[in-house]
Amino acid sequence: MLQLRDHTPEDAPATLAVFRRAVHGTAARDYTPEQVAAWAPDDLDPAAWAARRAAARTRVAVRDGAVVGFTDVDAAGYVDMLFVDPDAARQGVARALLGWAVETATADGAAELTTHASITARPFFEAHGFVVVAEQHPVRRGVTLTNYRMRRPL
């Protein structure tokens, strides 16, 4: 059974592991090894990661005691991160997390959800009512990536 709950400081290592596994596993089919390494480098600072997760309103998905995904949403409806462990892909984890983001942003009075979706995540977001506003080419560690600014009215 999948449980959604607020992120705690103890979840930081697990969310970092999910992020790395999702980028190096799932997203690797759409990005080059150089892009993957720039996006989710091995030398990410665990303390900085923990601080970033603590500063965001982060929700984790837990199954059998293990964190299998996470997301966040701010008061304006911006979803910065939504990642699912590859072993839990296509099992409703992302859908449940996005549902929480919709409910939370709606309760906050946001008019829409927005995100910067990867090539990999774009079809998921499109299937849940998001449309592409613009293609973007952010640079991480000197490497150009492609993502999509997307929005969904609430």
Side-chain angles (χ1 to χ4, degrees):
M1 174 168 234
L2 188 68
Q3 173 194 10
L4 300 185
R5 62 168 173 76
D6 290 340
H7 178 275
T8 67
E10 293 77 25
D11 294 321
T15 56
L16 178 55
V18 166
F19 169 72
R20 284 186 173 141
R21 285 178 45 81
V23 174
H24 286 268
T26 309
R29 69 175 181 250
D30 297 311
Y31 292 90
T32 68
E34 180 184 35
Q35 290 171 318
V36 167
W39 183 6
D42 292 334
D43 65 351
L44 277 175
D45 178 10
W49 176 270
R52 185 174 177 193
R53 295 284 34 96
R57 184 171 33 185
T58 303
R59 194 80 163 170
V60 295
V62 179
R63 180 175 289 143
D64 298 326
V67 173
V68 295
F70 69 96
T71 194
D72 56 47
V73 65
D74 69 16
Y78 177 65
V79 177
D80 182 37
M81 294 194 165
L82 194 164
F83 288 93
V84 174
D85 189 279
D87 290 343
R90 302 201 178 277
Q91 298 174 24
V93 176
R95 184 176 60 246
L97 288 166
L98 182 59
W100 169 82
V102 167
E103 290 173 12
T104 302
T106 299
D108 286 343
E112 65 182 5
L113 283 184
T114 59
T115 194
H116 296 173
S118 67
I119 295 167
T120 311
R122 178 181 170 176
F124 167 80
F125 283 105
E126 286 177 330
H128 289 87
F130 284 74
V131 296
V132 173
V133 175
E135 182 174 312
Q136 305 180 125
H137 300 282
V139 177
R140 301 282 183 268
R141 296 182 171 224
V143 178
T144 302
L145 305 172
T146 297
N147 70 20
Y148 302 92
R149 193 173 42 189
M150 301 183 78
R151 67 176 294 278
R152 171 194 164 171
L154 293 174

